[in-house]
């Protein structure tokens, strides 16, 4: 990311938007991730998944969330100090499927300078992950710690 | 989980509590997870992490979240149909560190039978992940889809 613009609190404004690169959700990775972190039949096996509420193999929501983080960290949200989240809200309006090509569109919805720590602020970002059919599959509204630009080197 | 009690909507009540097994956060897995999903210096390298806001290597919050899901799925929340989340709120009050032994304590905070789909309901569960010092490191308040017990075989 060294060639990219690196943004500080001073550079941000409400309504500012960012678009990430893309992530392809592979069937093998869906199953391996699930085996480690979310071993439920609908994330592990096509046949079991067909009979489930998902009606077909679906990635763990946490795999989807982790993929979204990868997209944000690798250029989707070019904050100078990285992406440090305090928490937020998440939703999975649709499952992600094998072969889906996913990207994240983010928008700054609130900026709150810190009273106690004048060198930083809390920035609320809403990121929506879309699949190749422009269906929203994941929405993350997160509070991020973002530093001010300093005059110190 | 076949030997465990499997709970349906009918079996749940507000205030009901569950305790998971434990998960050890390994330094090598912290770095590998971060390399794949959250490649930021404070999750990848001890020296860089020391100079960061985390003041030492910390797991990605999404690794912590995924580990919590593993604990819930493998006995921490014995729902008959598995754990299917629609979304929720997350917070990371403290980082998780290499060598931390983590577990999740969950409590049912709300039960809302579905009007349109009488065979299921939405159960809100608050899960708090603690480290070995009983410090809360992660809190997930999630809305889960839970089916009623049916008389059909």
């Amino acid at each position: 990311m060294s060639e990219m613009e690196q943004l500080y609190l001073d550079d941000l404004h409400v309504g500012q938007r960012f678009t990430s690169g893309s992530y392809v959700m592979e069937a093998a990775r869906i199953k391996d991730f699930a085996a480690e972190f979310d071993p439920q039949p609908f994330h592990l096996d096509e046949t079991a998944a067909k009979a489930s509420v998902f009606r077909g193999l679906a990635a763990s929501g946490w795999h989807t969330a982790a993929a979204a983080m990868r997209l944000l960290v690798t250029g989707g949200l070019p904050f100078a100090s990285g992406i440090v989240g305090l928490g937020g809200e998440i939703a999975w309006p649709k499952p992600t499927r094998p072969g889906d090509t996913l990207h994240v569109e983010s928008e700054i919805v609130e900026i709150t300078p810190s009273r106690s720590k004048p060198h930083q602020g809390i920035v609320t970002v809403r990121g929506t992950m879309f699949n190749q059919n422009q269906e929203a599959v994941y929405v993350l509204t997160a509070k991020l710690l973002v530093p001010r630009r300093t005059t110190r080197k």
Side-chain angles (χ1 to χ4, degrees), chain A:
Chain A
M1 301 205 299
S2 53
E3 76 286 1
M4 294 181 54
E5 192 181 9
Q6 295 288 289
L7 303 176
Y8 290 86
L9 192 65
D10 321 65
D11 306 317
L12 304 179
H13 60 86
V14 170
Q16 203 166 353
R17 298 174 72 93
F18 305 91
T19 300
S20 78
S22 62
Y23 180 94
V24 177
M25 192 54 88
E26 311 269 9
R29 192 70 195 92
I30 287 176
K31 295 176 190 178
D32 286 351
F33 187 100
E36 183 175 2
F37 292 118
D38 192 350
Q40 303 194 83
F42 35 77
H43 300 319
L44 292 167
D45 177 80
E46 279 87 353
T47 306
K50 273 221 163 65
S52 79
V53 64
F54 290 107
R55 302 189 180 285
L57 194 69
S60 168
W62 302 104
H63 187 180
T64 301
M69 186 62 176
R70 178 181 178 83
L71 291 174
L72 294 176
V73 167
T74 58
L77 210 53
F79 291 174
S81 60
I83 301 177
V84 178
L86 304 173
E89 290 175 30
I90 50 179
W92 295 280
K94 286 182 78 81
T96 57
R97 305 290 190 179
D100 275 359
T101 299
L102 307 166
H103 78 281
V104 179
E105 299 180 14
S106 300
E107 181 175 358
I108 294 180
V109 294
E110 194 177 348
I111 299 175
T112 309
S114 172
R115 289 183 204 179
S116 57
K117 297 181 178 173
H119 63 286
Q120 65 184 33
I122 305 288
V123 176
T124 305
V125 178
R126 184 177 55 238
T128 306
M129 183 180 243
F130 294 95
N131 64 19
Q132 64 283 354
N133 301 320
Q134 286 299 309
E135 297 168 313
V137 295
Y138 173 64
V139 183
L140 166 68
T141 306
K143 291 187 184 304
L144 306 176
L145 211 56
V146 181
R148 281 192 190 283
R149 197 181 292 279
T150 61
T151 52
R152 292 175 304 178
K153 178 70 186 166

